[in-house]
Amino acid sequence: MTIALSIAGLFACGAAPAFSQSSAPNDAQIAGIVVTANTVDIDAGKLAEKMSGNKEVKAFAKQMVTDHTGVNKQATALVKKLKVTPEDSDTSKSLKEGGDANMAKLKGLKGKEFDSAYIAHEVTYHQAVIDALDKTLIPNAKNAELKATLEKVRPAFVAHLEHAKHLQSSMK
């Protein structure tokens, strides 16, 4: 599978991810985290497609929009099939707030500063996704199909992380 299931969100100004759920998330909350995080990354990718002057950054942003839009469609289909309604949680609310703050920060930047901030954020973001998959989301998913989907997409996160790191090093 070449698309990534985004389960960590964007965080404001490079702050730590918002996985501060007071208890382990249930499947409905995991679904809510997935949908929220994908939406947040789609929004940032669309902004980068518009604002970046770097063709490699634009291509990366387009890939993030395409991948995360596809995953949101898959996630929606899976939750309907499983009869799970995505549920808000402290984590999903925090992801939305962090995404909004990141968008505000990025909108204030131009040129190389924008590109650098966007890509640095994507590196942090994808590392957090991998950590969240391994430590929180996969271990707490009760439904076998949901858990299998999370496990199946993990390699795509690694690929996105490596791509973002490559872009980051080429921009220095």
Side-chain angles (χ1 to χ4, degrees):
M1 178 179 274
T2 61
I3 56 179
L5 179 58
S6 178
I7 19 229
L10 301 172
F11 352 97
C13 308
F19 283 94
S20 59
Q21 188 100 354
S22 57
S23 60
N26 62 35
D27 287 354
Q29 290 168 331
I30 291 171
I33 291 165
V34 169
V35 171
T36 300
N38 275 298
T39 301
V40 166
D41 204 32
I42 290 165
D43 292 345
K46 286 180 179 178
L47 181 66
E49 282 185 286
K50 283 185 210 167
M51 292 190 62
S52 179
N54 180 314
K55 70 179 185 180
E56 289 183 11
V57 172
K58 280 184 177 281
F60 178 80
K62 182 176 181 164
Q63 180 184 357
M64 295 304 101
V65 171
T66 299
D67 288 358
H68 295 297
T69 298
V71 171
N72 257 358
K73 288 179 185 171
Q74 288 184 19
T76 301
L78 180 60
V79 296
K80 281 183 182 175
K81 177 184 173 188
L82 299 177
K83 296 184 172 129
V84 173
T85 301
E87 203 175 280
D88 274 340
S89 63
D90 291 344
T91 300
S92 63
K93 289 175 190 171
S94 185
L95 294 175
K96 173 81 173 95
E97 291 168 9
D100 291 346
N102 183 61
M103 290 288 285
K105 175 189 173 193
L106 289 175
K107 285 178 181 176
L109 301 173
K110 290 188 177 8
K112 290 181 181 181
E113 282 185 342
F114 175 90
D115 294 340
S116 180
Y118 172 70
I119 293 300
H121 186 273
E122 289 295 301
V123 168
T124 304
Y125 165 74
H126 284 91
Q127 183 61 62
V129 169
I130 294 164
D131 293 345
L133 279 167
D134 294 345
K135 297 174 185 171
T136 304
L137 300 169
I138 292 170
N140 289 298
K142 302 296 182 228
N143 179 277
E145 197 168 350
L146 176 60
K147 183 176 236 157
T149 299
L150 297 173
E151 291 169 339
K152 186 176 181 181
V153 299
R154 188 185 182 283
F157 290 113
V158 174
H160 280 191
L161 175 61
E162 292 307 312
H163 188 178
K165 282 181 175 179
H166 172 76
L167 281 174
Q168 189 176 45
S169 68
S170 71
M171 294 168 67
K172 290 182 179 177

